[in-house]
Amino acid sequence: MTELFAFIDDAMSSSHDPEKIIVAVCEDGWLREHLTAATKDRAHLSDTLCYRHPNGFYKMKLLSPGADSWALRVHIWDGPVPQSDVHDHRWDFSSYILSGQLLEKQFALDRDTGTTPVFELAKGASSGEYRYMPDGVGRLSETSRTRRTPGESYTLDHRVLHRADPAGGYPVITAVLQGRDVRRTTTVVPAAERTESTTVTRLGSEDVMDLMEWVAERLVA
């Protein structure tokens, strides 16, 4: 685990190609080795942030130097979920498709017309809370759609509005290497009506261990 952390930290400090880094982490076996080792070192499982994201997938944060820095994550869609929200991010990221397929759609938002509610999403005062703050209305128009398949990697700028939904079987598993925060909030155009705030619940150590083992079993050695 220490070796993987050092590899990513050094590479992120010296490289301008995070996509190349996440490809190496996945294709050279680093990720599977990390997950396998982590399940045998239960003392650190309680430190692993993992929860069911409002967009339906499990979000598992594996490694990071700290807040506002890079982070290595795994996303897991284990079954059908409602259509996800259109959103952008606080950071640029690179992703690698480990299993299954995602249909990614990108959008333009015209704030000068339309009636679609737009929100600004920010972390709330309590742990795991996120607040949806009204940010006017607009009109969404789809600009592209791409089917992401196993072995494919891609990079997304934090300003791009997109939606990524499972397409063609489960599980869908992706590895994500996010960069440093470049802003504090994100833009969200909900697929369905949202309450003013939402709170995510962290998985306990035993559930995290089971999920790690489940993912590791599905990765090619």
Side-chain angles (χ1 to χ4, degrees):
M1 291 186 284
T2 302
E3 291 181 359
L4 178 57
F5 180 94
F7 168 73
I8 297 176
D9 201 43
D10 290 345
M12 289 293 284
S13 298
S14 60
S15 174
H16 297 289
D17 191 356
E19 188 171 337
K20 184 177 180 181
I21 300 170
I22 193 64
V23 169
V25 167
C26 295
E27 294 188 352
D28 294 350
W30 289 84
L31 180 60
R32 186 175 189 274
E33 291 176 7
H34 175 84
L35 290 169
T36 301
T39 60
K40 298 176 182 178
D41 186 7
R42 299 193 180 192
H44 296 287
L45 287 177
S46 60
D47 298 329
T48 301
L49 176 62
C50 184
Y51 57 86
R52 180 76 77 169
H53 190 278
N55 278 336
F57 57 86
Y58 283 111
K59 176 180 174 180
M60 182 186 296
K61 187 176 181 180
L62 297 177
L63 293 171
S64 178
D68 301 333
S69 189
W70 65 264
L72 175 65
R73 308 200 319 244
V74 172
H75 293 173
I76 307 111
W77 290 260
D78 58 344
V81 294
Q83 182 174 257
S84 62
D85 296 339
V86 174
H87 60 281
D88 56 18
H89 299 85
R90 300 193 311 273
W91 20 257
D92 303 333
F93 74 89
S94 294
S95 184
Y96 185 96
I97 310 299
L98 294 158
S99 172
Q101 299 182 26
L102 285 177
L103 180 61
E104 190 216 3
K105 300 178 182 180
Q106 297 186 8
F107 299 86
L109 176 62
D110 185 354
R111 289 182 176 269
D112 296 326
T113 185
T115 58
T116 301
V118 180
F119 293 84
E120 188 177 43
L121 181 65
K123 291 184 178 180
S126 60
S127 177
E129 180 190 21
Y130 294 86
R131 298 189 63 81
Y132 293 88
M133 299 172 290
D135 191 28
V137 295
R139 180 174 63 85
L140 277 178
S141 56
E142 184 180 321
T143 58
S144 69
R145 62 174 59 191
T146 306
R147 186 176 290 268
R148 308 291 187 184
T149 58
E152 180 180 354
S153 61
Y154 67 99
T155 296
L156 201 68
D157 184 278
H158 67 279
R159 295 164 292 190
V160 175
L161 284 165
H162 82 145
R163 172 165 59 213
D165 295 301
Y170 299 91
V172 179
I173 306 172
T174 67
V176 176
L177 181 58
Q178 71 179 57
R180 298 180 182 278
D181 284 7
V182 293
R183 59 182 179 179
R184 296 294 178 182
T185 63
T186 59
T187 298
V188 176
V189 181
E193 186 175 348
R194 290 288 189 191
T195 57
E196 182 178 309
S197 65
T198 185
T199 302
V200 297
T201 303
R202 293 181 63 153
L203 269 66
S205 297
E206 292 298 318
D207 290 331
V208 171
M209 182 185 69
D210 290 345
L211 193 57
M212 283 184 171
E213 289 179 340
W214 186 83
V215 171
E217 291 170 356
R218 284 157 178 78
L219 302 185
V220 177

